[in-house]
Amino acid sequence: MSAVSRSLRTASRSLRLQSSTNFPRTAALRLSSRTTAKLGAAPRLSAAVSIAAPSRTNSFSTSATRQSAPAMPLEGREYDPEIKDIADYVHNKPIESELAFDTARWVFLDTLGCGLEGLRFKECTKLLGPVVPGTVVPNGTKVPGTDFQLDPVNGAFNIGAVIRWLDYNDCWLAAEWGHPSDNLGAILAVADWITRTNKAGGNLAGGKQFTIRDVLEGMIKAHEIQGCLALLNSYNKVGLDHVVLVKVASTAVVSKMLGLSEKQTADAVTQAWVDGQSLRTYRHSPNTMSRKSWAAGDACQRAVSLALKVLKGEPGIPTVLSAPVWGFYDVLFKGNKFEFQRPYGSYVMENVLFKVSYPAEFHSQTAVEASQKIHRQLKEMGKSAADIKAVTCRTHEACIRIIDKQFKPMDNFADRDHCIQYMCSVMLVFGRLEATDYTDGGEAATSPLVESLRQKIKCVEDPQYTQDYHNPELRTISNALTVELNDGTTLDEVVVEAPLGHRLRREEAKPHILAKYKRHLGPHFSESQVKELIDLGMDGKKLEAMAVDEYVDKYVVKDSKFV
């Protein structure tokens, strides 16, 4: 052996011995942190470990396992307080806000209507039904607008997918955005299945038979969990899709519905956080595609599946968020902990945004409304979109980050319904924006004028609009359009700060929400059935008292022309 080799071996041995000598001190620091942690101290545990353990750095390394403390039994470990807060809210927080229940009723009707409208698109219906064609699950979940009767896991996917397909259900905008009514896919599937099973002599969840009021309460809580986790925490900035919040919220709510204890609900929520999370790439060029329309259905499906596994005795992962190196915060959230603006209550449902006027990504709703006003103005002037030289859209930062796609190709439906320039152009050219305007080969998608105008619309951020967007007292989604014509004329800027479905315009919106619901019922049911569903939906007390299975049966369609 050469002298050089002997020197290297000696140095290597010395380093290994030094590392071995240092290990017990690091492990002792970690163990001390765990044994002294009190209720709600999990985040401090994470910080203590970060100081004690040099392995917790931005560079991910499996060498950290060699520095881990001896494993403690799961039942002896404190849960992350973020997990305990969710479980405590679901099990112990009564919802007393009548405003929340009234809003939830409108959300419920609107969401079911959006699902029915989604059934009119073959790209959606091809994904629906049982995994094995022809399978009918006795006492299973029924899928509105169809005659499918499925197990609750697949039922949650079916209902969740149709709800979200057209991007037309409610919306929540904050540091993260999303659509809290996506959770209805899981909530309705589980409530329907449990109720039918127990009426047939089963004993799920202690024999519980759910009413629509129970469903509305579940929606309020799912809205609140998803919305509060989104207020100050951006998942898209680390590349994660917002449906992770649908999975977490749905898991929490359906766990309680299934009769799980508070601890079991915490276990199920930890399983949702540790589960593989969806990347946002399917929402952005160059990979924009239809998965964005069924991603929420997938989240609902996963939520029910995970809750059922815990029902069978599967344990949780107590420090799923804060565990050094391997937890959610270190692996997927750049080492940052969640921040919270407010405790869980009913704030989100009370302030949720309805999509009333247009099947358009919500950050563009006010821009499309402004475009509609400009279309009318041009018509009154004897001009049209062909006379437009340039458009400036003064907007908020989130809009620019998500749907500003001035020069990106519009290859499919998913590209078009997430491009503010395309949506405004369609409205400016045709004076309308409908779901069919996004389809390949359609009048709007093939219009040379729409395409040329799209590339003339420039977005610029207004910092005040961005501040107002995050202000909990305002929560506006402002857009302002200034149009310059070919003849040199510049039209006055058209500003719309709050869309029609905003809390500040809620009463104004209700007749439009009802008209939208009626419009979505029409293609599936007879006039008498449409009237029955509308009358029932407007009678809050009667609707809330109805058994879930009896209400869902009113939406069953045998031999649907769309499925």
Side-chain angles (χ1 to χ4, degrees), residues 403-473:
I403 55 174
D404 179 10
K405 302 177 181 179
Q406 184 177 8
F407 299 112
K408 292 179 179 178
M410 297 288 102
D411 293 330
N412 54 42
F413 189 112
D415 282 321
R416 299 180 192 107
D417 81 340
H418 271 57
C419 173
I420 187 171
Q421 287 87 358
Y422 180 85
M423 292 180 274
C424 289
S425 294
V426 172
M427 179 58 75
L428 289 167
V429 172
F430 298 108
R432 65 160 198 263
L433 183 63
E434 301 169 355
T436 51
D437 289 321
Y438 302 121
T439 56
D440 294 346
E443 180 183 29
T446 58
S447 168
L449 181 54
V450 168
E451 178 58 20
S452 65
L453 183 55
R454 181 177 74 86
Q455 298 186 32
K456 297 177 182 178
I457 302 176
K458 180 181 180 181
C459 290
V460 295
E461 181 189 357
D462 183 325
Q464 186 61 53
Y465 282 179
T466 300
Q467 289 181 35
D468 295 346
Y469 174 88
H470 291 290
N471 185 330
E473 301 303 319

Side-chain angles (χ1 to χ4, degrees), residues 507-561:
E507 292 305 312
E508 178 189 355
K510 282 182 176 179
H512 298 274
I513 298 170
L514 183 61
K516 175 187 171 188
Y517 174 58
K518 182 177 181 180
R519 187 169 68 247
H520 289 165
L521 292 172
H524 301 271
F525 304 108
S526 67
E527 287 187 19
S528 61
Q529 287 175 298
V530 169
K531 184 179 185 306
E532 179 187 6
L533 287 169
I534 289 177
D535 290 346
L536 181 56
M538 293 301 100
D539 188 338
K541 290 185 178 180
K542 184 176 180 181
L543 177 67
E544 289 184 9
M546 181 169 282
V548 168
D549 61 319
E550 295 173 14
Y551 184 73
V552 171
D553 280 343
K554 295 183 179 296
Y555 286 84
V556 171
V557 176
K558 295 187 180 298
D559 302 318
S560 169
K561 60 185 176 182

Side-chain angles (χ1 to χ4, degrees), residues 465-512:
Y465 282 179
T466 300
Q467 289 181 35
D468 295 346
Y469 174 88
H470 291 290
N471 185 330
E473 301 303 319
L474 292 177
R475 308 196 63 80
T476 49
I477 312 98
S478 306
N479 281 288
L481 269 58
T482 301
V483 172
E484 181 183 355
L485 302 180
N486 291 324
D487 63 9
T489 302
T490 298
L491 304 183
D492 291 339
E493 184 180 60
V494 178
V495 179
V496 183
E497 296 184 343
L500 186 56
H502 192 279
R503 174 181 54 84
L504 299 175
R505 299 174 66 185
R506 182 70 50 78
E507 292 305 312
E508 178 189 355
K510 282 182 176 179
H512 298 274

Side-chain angles (χ1 to χ4, degrees), residues 3 49 75 184 218 221 247 294-296 306 382 390 402 438 443 453 541 544:
V49 174
E75 61 271 17
L184 183 60
K221 292 194 171 185
K247 180 163 48 177
W294 56 262
L306 293 170
I402 308 163
Y438 302 121
E443 180 183 29
L453 183 55
K541 290 185 178 180
E544 289 184 9

